[in-house]
Amino acid sequence: MKTLNNLFKSYLLPVVIFAFAIPSWAQKDTAEVVKKKPFLSLKYYNIQNEIHYLVFQGMLKSKTNLEPLAKRNLTVFLNDETEASNKIGSFVTDFEGRANIQIPVAFADAWKQSNQHKFIAILDSVDEMGVLQTETEITKFKLLLDTLNEEDVRKIKISCLELTDTLWTPVADVEVRVGIKRLSSILPVGEEATATTDSSGTAIVDFTIDSIPGDAQGMIFIAAKIEDNDVYGNLSYEMKVPWGNASSYTNPYGKRSLWATGDKVPMWLLTLACGIIFSVWGTLIYLVLQLFKVRKLGLKA
Amino acid sequence: MNSTSIAKSDKIIKDLLPKKFGRMGTIWVACLLLICAFGAYAYFLQLKDGLSVTAMGDYVSWGIYISNFVFFVAISLVGSLITAIFRLANIHWSTPITRIAEIIAVSAIFFASLIIIVDMGRPERLLNLFLHPRLQSPIVWDVVVIGTYFLISLLLLYLPLLPDLKIMIKNKNTEPGWLNKLYRFLGSFWQGSADQKKINNHSITILSIMIIPVAFCIHTVTSWLFATTYRPGWDSTNFGAYFVSGAFLVGAGGVVTAMYVFRKVYKLEKYITDMHFERMGKAVVLLAFLYLYFNINEYLVPAFKMKKPEEAHLTELFTGHFAPMFWFAIIVGMLLPIAILITKQGRKPTWVFAAGVMVVVGAWFKRYLIVTPTLLHPFLPMQDVPEKFMFYFPSWQEWAIAMGSLAGALLVITIFARIFPIIPIHETITGEDENAEQLI
C-alpha cells in the first residue's frame, strides 16, 4: 500500500496535474486567438473616370492594437468567386497588410456587361480563423468638373452621373469634397470643404480665393473627390485652370554654392582644392622622377 | 675597418634577413587565406544578388563595412606617427619599428579603399566619382586624400628599403630564384653612391613632412563624412580632433602588437628591446589619455544638455542595447590600457602587447559604435516601416567580407615580412657603427 502511495505521489500525481493543466493552457491560447478579430476592407478607386483599381487591407484587431495581416495570399474575383474565369488575380499583402489590385484589360467585356459589379477578396487561412472573405459592390459612376464665370465670380461646377441601363443619369445628394489640389489634400475654395449635388446631379461652388500661387503660367489644379461612398466607392477628378498667380521659381541650386551640383562648385573651393591637389601631386610626381634619377645614376655606375 | 665591425654587420644581416615560414607561419598564412577566400565568396554573392544580402536597409545604410573602413583609416595613421614625426623629431630609437609602422599603414589604407568599394554594391560606379565629381562633397575629398596617402605611404616604405634591397641581392643564396628576381627588379640600380643617397634622403625628408598634413587630412575628412551631416551623435565640431586622436591611439596599439609578434616569431629581442616597449608604452598611454579626453567631450557635453534628439541615442549607448559594447570599448579600449601602461611594470613587453591588443579590439568596436547607433536614431520617428529596419545586425556575408578584409590586411603584412626585412638592416648597421657604411 505504501509502495502504491509513493508511486502515486511520485509519478501519477504530477502526470494528472499536467494532464489537467494542458486543457486550461489550450483554453487560454484559444481565448487569445478568439480575442483577435479580423478587420478586412476592399475599396474601389476611380481616377478621372478612366483608371480604376482596388485596395485591400487586412488587419487583426485586438483590444490594444491592430496587427497587419502581412504577407498573406489573396485572391480577388469579379462578381462570382465560384467561376475561375472571374478571377482577377492572386496577390500577396505587404507589411501593412495591404495589396493594390489592378483590374486587367481582359475584364473589359465583363465590365461593360453590367452597371453594377461586385468584387470579392478571399484571404488564405489566417491562424485558426480559416479562410477570410470580404466584398464590395459598386455602381458605375461619373464625376465631372467644369468652370463657370458668372458676374465676375469664378465658380466650380460638379456633376455626378450614374449609369442606368445605357444612360448616364444625374444623382442627387452625393457629398463631394471640392477645392484646389495640394500635395496630399484638397484646399477648400469657399466656406465649406464639401458640396452636395441637387436633383440635377450638380453642385456649384464659388471660388472665393483671390490669390493662390500657381505654376509659371498661373495654372492650378482644381479637384473633386468622393470618399468611401457606399454605392460608388472612391472617385476623384481634377482639372487644370488658369486661376492662380504666375510664380517665378528661382532654382537655389543654380548658383555656385556648397549645396549646388558638381558643376556649380564655389570658385574659392575650386581654387583651394585644385591648388592643394596640384601642389601635393606635383611634389609626388617630382619625387617619382627623383626615383627615376636615382635609378639612372645607378645604372650609369 | 676592423674584423669586429665586419662580424657585427654580418651578424645583423644574418639576424634581420627575411626568414622562411616555419610550421606555425604556414598554418597562420593558410588560416588567413581561408578567411580571405570565404570573404571573397561572400563578396561574390553580394555582387551576384546585390546589397540585399546585407542587413543594411533604409535607416542603417552604413553598417559594418563603413565601421571597418573607419578602423582601417584610423590604424593607417601610425605610418605618419612613427616614420614621419619620429624621424623629423630626430628620435633614433624608433628605427627598428619604422618599417612595421609603414607596412601596417600601407596594408590598412589599401584595404580601406577596397572596403569602401565593397560598400558601394556596384563597384563599377566608382568611375562615376571621377567622371562626375562633386567637389563640395567630403566623399570626393576622402577619395582624393586616401589615394594621396596611399602613394606617400608606399613611397615611404619603398625608398628606405632600397639600401636593404642591395644587401638582399648580395645575399641571394638564401632565397628562392623568383624572390631574387623581385629584389633585382626593385633595387638592382641602388649602388649606395653619394648622389643616390643624397637624392634618396632628400625625398624621404620631403615625404616625411608631406605625410603629416595628409594624414591629418585623411582622418579629419573621414570624420567630416559624419560631422557634416546633422544627426545625433555626429553633429559635432569636435569630430576631426576626436578622430585624429583615436587614430593615433589605435595605430600605436597596432604597432606595439605587431612589434611583440615579430620579436617573438623572428627572435628579434636584440633589436626590438624592452626599451622600445617602454617608450612605445608611454606613447600609447599618452594617446589613450588624449583619446579619453575627447571621448569625455564627445559624450559628456551632449549628455549634460540631453537635447531631445540626442537623448535616445545617448541612452541607447549608456544603458540601452549598445551599452555592453559601448562600455567594453571605453573600458577595454582606453581605461584598462591606461591602467596597465601607466606603471613601469606594465610597460614590460608582454603587458604592452596585451594593452595593444585591447586598444585595437576596443577601437574596432568603437568605430562600429560611431557609425551604427546614430543611423538607428533619425530625427523623425521610424514609422510604418518593416520591423527589420529598426535593428541592425550584420548578415553572415557582411561578417565574412569584413573579417576577410581584416585577414587580408594581416596577410599583406605577413607576406611583406616574409619577403623583406621587417627591421631596416642598413639603418640598424649604420646606427650601431657609423663606419659600417663601407661594409654594405
Side-chain angles (χ1 to χ4, degrees):
Chain A
M1 191 63 196
K2 200 178 174 185
T3 320
L4 265 177
N5 203 12
N6 282 344
L7 191 72
F8 179 74
K9 274 185 187 169
S10 318
Y11 298 103
L12 286 176
L13 191 63
V15 170
V16 170
I17 292 169
F18 186 70
F20 276 100
I22 289 171
S24 67
W25 294 334
Q27 216 169 14
K28 196 181 165 194
D29 287 350
T30 320
E32 269 179 15
V33 172
V34 172
K35 263 184 202 170
K36 288 184 180 174
K37 281 184 183 171
F39 176 75
L40 308 182
S41 77
L42 183 65
K43 291 182 177 178
Y44 170 80
Y45 287 84
N46 186 321
I47 303 168
Q48 297 293 103
N49 304 318
E50 282 173 2
I51 306 156
H52 47 193
Y53 61 95
L54 299 155
V55 175
F56 169 86
Q57 187 159 32
M59 311 286 264
L60 277 182
K61 203 175 176 182
S62 69
K63 241 182 187 179
T64 48
N65 65 337
L66 277 171
E67 180 194 323
L69 285 166
K71 304 221 164 141
R72 308 286 176 147
N73 293 323
L74 175 81
T75 316
V76 182
F77 294 89
L78 179 68
N79 297 327
D80 184 5
E81 73 273 27
T82 55
E83 286 283 328
S85 59
N86 288 342
K87 184 177 159 185
I88 291 176
S90 295
F91 307 88
V92 178
T93 56
D94 64 11
F95 68 95
E96 288 180 307
R98 195 188 287 263
N100 287 330
I101 299 137
Q102 307 290 331
I103 302 163
V105 186
F107 282 80
D109 289 338
W111 182 255
K112 282 174 195 162
Q113 275 170 19
S114 174
N115 299 338
Q116 288 183 326
H117 288 288
K118 187 163 80 173
F119 297 98
I120 304 124
I122 299 171
L123 200 65
D124 275 7
S125 178
V126 177
D127 303 327
E128 282 81 11
M129 293 174 201
V131 174
L132 297 175
Q133 182 172 330
T134 185
E135 55 187 52
T136 189
E137 202 166 344
I138 59 112
T139 301
K140 285 183 183 173
F141 190 84
K142 251 187 193 177
L143 176 65
L144 296 168
L145 277 182
D146 200 0
T147 56
L148 305 170
N149 201 335
E150 290 171 356
E151 296 165 0
D152 284 343
V153 179
R154 289 166 176 167
K155 292 174 187 229
I156 301 171
K157 183 184 171 191
I158 307 126
S159 305
C160 292
L161 305 165
E162 177 188 300
L163 190 63
T164 318
D165 297 328
T166 53
L167 290 173
W168 289 100
T169 54
V171 188
D173 297 329
V174 180
E175 195 178 32
V176 185
R177 278 184 68 196
V178 64
I180 301 163
K181 187 190 167 192
R182 281 291 173 255
L183 192 63
S184 54
S185 65
I186 290 178
L187 178 73
V189 289
E191 282 178 10
E192 298 291 330
T194 58
T196 308
T197 53
D198 58 16
S199 57
S200 65
T202 58
I204 292 172
V205 176
D206 289 351
F207 187 92
T208 56
I209 295 176
D210 294 330
S211 169
I212 185 110
D215 63 12
Q217 282 79 42
M219 304 296 275
I220 57 167
F221 278 99
I222 52 169
K225 220 173 194 179
I226 297 173
E227 288 169 321
D228 290 334
N229 188 295
D230 294 338
V231 186
Y232 310 114
N234 296 273
L235 296 100
S236 60
Y237 193 90
E238 60 188 48
M239 184 182 174
K240 208 172 182 184
V241 290
W243 292 353
N245 297 336
S247 49
S248 59
Y249 172 71
T250 48
N251 182 3
Y253 295 94
K255 289 179 188 166
R256 286 187 182 277
S257 63
L258 282 175
W259 50 89
T261 48
D263 56 328
K264 303 280 189 306
V265 55
M267 284 311 289
W268 63 265
L269 180 64
L270 188 68
T271 318
L272 202 68
C274 290
I276 293 170
I277 291 169
F278 286 129
S279 56
V280 171
W281 277 86
T283 313
L284 283 176
I285 291 166
Y286 163 75
L287 291 176
V288 172
L289 291 175
Q290 290 295 96
L291 188 62
F292 279 108
K293 199 173 165 186
V294 168
R295 186 184 154 82
K296 209 172 159 187
L297 281 170
L299 293 176
K300 209 190 264 179
Chain B
M1 190 59 48
N2 58 41
S3 58
T4 324
S5 294
I6 297 171
K8 213 171 172 185
S9 300
D10 285 347
K11 175 84 174 75
I12 292 172
I13 292 169
K14 199 181 160 208
D15 286 348
L16 299 184
L17 274 179
K19 292 176 184 67
K20 286 176 183 157
F21 291 134
R23 218 183 88 202
M24 284 306 287
T26 314
I27 294 170
W28 167 249
V29 170
C31 288
L32 292 178
L33 279 171
L34 202 70
I35 299 169
C36 287
F38 192 52
Y41 171 67
Y43 185 53
F44 162 74
L45 290 182
Q46 185 182 299
L47 278 180
K48 189 165 75 75
D49 301 329
L51 280 174
S52 62
V53 300
T54 70
M56 290 188 280
D58 285 22
Y59 290 95
V60 180
S61 51
W62 285 356
I64 197 173
Y65 295 154
I66 297 294
S67 317
N68 221 17
F69 162 74
V70 179
F71 173 78
F72 276 133
V73 168
I75 206 163
S76 73
L77 186 69
V78 73
S80 69
L81 170 75
I82 309 283
T83 314
I85 299 176
F86 284 3
R87 189 185 289 269
L88 292 173
N90 246 346
I91 295 170
H92 293 295
W93 63 262
S94 67
T95 305
I97 54 175
T98 47
R99 197 159 290 153
I100 297 176
E102 268 312 321
I103 187 58
I104 291 177
V106 168
S107 76
I109 205 68
F110 176 70
F111 278 92
S113 323
L114 280 191
I115 205 80
I116 207 82
I117 296 169
V118 167
D119 186 69
M120 288 175 67
R122 294 277 300 270
E124 78 280 5
R125 292 196 179 174
L126 181 71
L127 202 60
N128 287 344
L129 209 64
F130 301 99
L131 295 177
H132 316 286
R134 191 173 167 270
L135 209 55
Q136 298 98 313
S137 164
I139 291 174
V140 171
W141 309 345
D142 216 27
V143 170
V144 171
V145 86
I146 283 175
T148 311
Y149 189 72
F150 180 66
L151 184 59
I152 296 176
S153 298
L154 211 57
L155 285 171
L156 260 179
L157 184 69
Y158 180 54
L159 296 186
L161 193 69
L162 285 171
D164 286 359
L165 285 169
K166 187 187 167 193
I167 295 168
M168 284 187 291
I169 293 167
K170 261 190 178 176
N171 292 275
K172 62 182 176 184
N173 295 335
T174 56
E175 291 295 350
W178 68 271
L179 266 184
N180 286 315
K181 272 185 194 166
L182 178 74
Y183 297 147
R184 276 200 299 279
F185 172 74
L186 290 172
S188 62
F189 58 86
W190 182 262
Q191 302 294 327
S193 68
D195 283 346
Q196 280 187 320
K197 268 189 236 164
K198 193 182 162 193
I199 297 170
N200 203 31
N201 288 339
H202 180 63
S203 300
I204 291 171
T205 308
I206 293 175
L207 285 169
S208 300
I209 296 167
M210 215 160 72
I211 200 170
I212 298 170
V214 175
F216 271 74
C217 278
I218 191 174
H219 294 84
T220 309
V221 167
T222 304
S223 81
W224 286 352
L225 294 179
F226 303 95
T228 50
T229 317
Y230 181 46
R231 299 196 69 142
W234 293 352
D235 179 29
S236 163
T237 52
N238 207 18
F239 243 48
Y242 172 55
F243 265 54
V244 171
S245 65
F248 270 131
L249 174 63
V250 62
V255 165
V256 293
T257 310
M259 272 164 62
Y260 184 84
V261 174
F262 283 125
R263 177 177 133 123
K264 272 268 171 216
V265 173
Y266 291 120
K267 300 187 175 37
L268 299 172
E269 286 82 359
K270 249 182 83 186
Y271 304 94
I272 302 175
T273 62
D274 285 8
M275 177 270 291
H276 291 102
F277 283 95
E278 158 79 18
R279 292 186 178 173
M280 278 306 290
K282 281 180 183 168
V284 172
V285 81
L286 171 75
L287 294 167
F289 268 122
L290 187 68
Y291 191 46
L292 187 66
Y293 165 77
F294 278 109
N295 269 276
I296 292 169
N297 263 288
E298 205 49 47
Y299 293 110
L300 186 69
V301 175
F304 193 81
K305 291 180 277 188
M306 248 341 160
K307 284 187 278 186
K308 208 70 198 166
E310 297 271 357
E311 190 184 346
H313 171 246
L314 289 171
T315 314
E316 191 84 329
L317 287 180
F318 295 159
T319 54
H321 177 66
F322 288 103
M325 200 191 283
F326 176 77
W327 292 114
F328 174 85
I330 297 286
I331 294 168
V332 175
M334 279 166 259
L335 297 179
L336 276 180
I338 289 173
I340 292 170
L341 297 173
I342 206 157
T343 61
K344 195 167 173 59
Q345 190 59 31
R347 291 194 293 273
K348 296 283 175 212
T350 314
W351 285 107
V352 175
F353 167 69
V357 172
M358 286 180 194
V359 163
V360 173
V361 174
W364 193 89
F365 284 103
K366 188 76 178 65
R367 272 48 189 190
Y368 185 83
L369 288 167
I370 290 172
V371 176
T372 308
T374 286
L375 292 169
L376 285 168
H377 294 101
F379 280 114
L380 293 174
M382 292 194 266
Q383 286 175 338
D384 298 330
V385 293
E387 205 176 322
K388 66 171 186 173
F389 281 19
M390 297 187 184
F391 306 97
Y392 172 74
F393 188 78
S395 67
W396 75 261
Q397 286 92 339
E398 284 175 275
W399 280 115
I401 292 170
M403 293 305 124
S405 67
L406 290 171
L410 290 175
L411 192 65
V412 168
I413 296 168
T414 309
I415 290 172
F416 181 87
R418 165 65 191 90
I419 298 175
F420 301 105
I422 200 68
I423 292 180
I425 302 175
H426 179 265
E427 280 182 69
T428 309
I429 293 171
T430 49
E432 292 212 352
D433 185 352
E434 290 289 326
N435 300 321
E437 181 69 52
Q438 301 155 35
L439 297 172
I440 44 179

